[in-house]
Amino acid sequence: MRIRVEKFGPIDSADITFGDLTVFVGPQATGKSILLQLLKLLLDRRAIHAEMRRFGLEWGRSRGKFLEIYFGEGMADLSRSKSSLVVGRTSQQFAALANSRGVASAKERLFYVPAQRVMSLRDGLTRPFSDYRAGDPFVLRAFSEKLHQLLQTDFGSTGSLFPKANRLNETLRGPLAQHVFGGFELHTEVARMQRRIVLRRGRTVLPYLVWSTGQREFVPLLLGFYHLLPPARVPRRDNLDWVVVEEPEMGLHPNAINAVLTVVMELRARGYRVCVSTHSPHVLDLMWALRFIQENDGNTDDVLALLGLKGTTPGKRLADAALASKLRVYYFARAGSVRDISRLDPGADDDAECEWGGLTSFSSTAGEVVSAVADRRG
């Protein structure tokens, strides 16, 4: 899928061709989330309109009101007179996004895990769509509603959330147990007549507010993974083809980030097309290494070593999918341009590419300063 956008919010010009695994990188407020939300809107417009109206949101035919309801308060002027949008070879009008007539399907094709996912839990309690203000971004409200439904139906009666034998195989569970949960298990319990999520080890129970930052950030993502990765006999959710995960690294140690990225690769193995936005050099290290393995006749064992996985059947299946994936990386610049830096060439003339979107530039600067200090002492 290819999307070309001009003069849309902070984006001056973007030409994006999505791969099997696509990564967006760049400073804050440069349009990464806006473009990913636009992707969902293009794929799921009718389903989005139906969900909004189910909860009593109305915008008439107003483009500005719709953009504010969907992207969030203050976003009514994202599109302007010079804005343009081309999907594939077809030019589209932003005003048409407020109208679902003529859109083929009301079934959701893209599952969106937003950067603000920590807000989907309040003191360990899931929050329904209606718990938010009308000006809160739709993708957050929809994600939170999905988690609320999951906890009330699929997982509400069992009590145990992690580890679960029928959710995520041991190849995925083991690193998460070690690097994210540190020996604790994730459970639900009823407190004050409400079902909340807690961490438990033996008789020790930790409520939400004493969890680590990484645990609070990861648990909503884990529940999203549970929805996307049903028991093995069902490869993926009906109708869902795409997954967006914003900033999977938030609050996590590098070993935990690697464990989470392994689950992202499981999404690829199940056939999803995955988009990730990130501020983590660890994510781009993985992308660079995968591309190098692909271009230099690497094999499944190399990918297993990269991800720290054993050569089990699930591990090999995951590594094979990663090895076969088309990888794309785009850099969103502060000036509004979006550049393809997919080769991640350290010797490239483009600073954005050789510094991998600015994520490795500080390491280079720190090395130069330390070298200069060492030379002076010598």
Side-chain angles (χ1 to χ4, degrees), residues 18-62:
F18 292 90
D20 300 316
L21 176 57
T22 304
V23 174
F24 288 176
V25 63
Q28 284 84 1
T30 51
K32 300 184 298 296
S33 290
I34 285 173
L35 200 142
L36 289 171
Q37 290 176 68
L38 178 60
L39 172 66
K40 178 168 176 63
L41 183 55
L42 291 170
L43 291 170
D44 292 338
R45 190 195 320 172
R46 192 172 174 189
I48 290 167
H49 288 195
E51 188 76 348
M52 286 178 171
R53 290 192 167 115
R54 184 165 76 93
F55 287 99
L57 298 176
E58 293 293 341
W59 58 94
R61 300 282 298 273
S62 169

Side-chain angles (χ1 to χ4, degrees), residues 163-236:
K164 288 181 71 68
N166 67 338
R167 295 285 179 164
L168 308 183
N169 58 60
E170 180 55 31
T171 297
L172 306 175
R173 290 200 310 266
L176 294 175
Q178 178 182 358
H179 299 302
V180 177
F181 292 109
F184 279 84
E185 297 180 348
L186 197 65
H187 289 263
T188 63
E189 66 173 24
V190 176
R192 298 178 183 176
M193 295 180 289
Q194 291 182 297
R195 188 171 296 279
R196 67 171 184 168
I197 305 174
V198 297
L199 289 173
R200 180 182 296 168
R201 183 166 60 193
R203 295 184 178 180
T204 301
V205 175
L206 300 183
Y208 177 79
L209 289 179
V210 301
W211 298 1
S212 73
T213 300
Q215 289 166 341
R216 290 197 297 268
E217 293 282 359
F218 176 69
V219 166
L221 178 56
L222 173 69
L223 296 178
F225 285 153
Y226 278 177
H227 175 64
L228 293 163
L229 301 170
R233 286 178 293 179
V234 183
R236 65 187 192 193

Side-chain angles (χ1 to χ4, degrees), residues 284 287-289 291 329 341-346 353-354 356:
L284 290 194
M287 293 290 284
W288 173 79
R291 177 174 284 277
V329 182
I341 60 168
S342 298
R343 295 198 62 79
L344 297 173
D345 180 4
E353 183 171 351
C354 70
W356 293 352

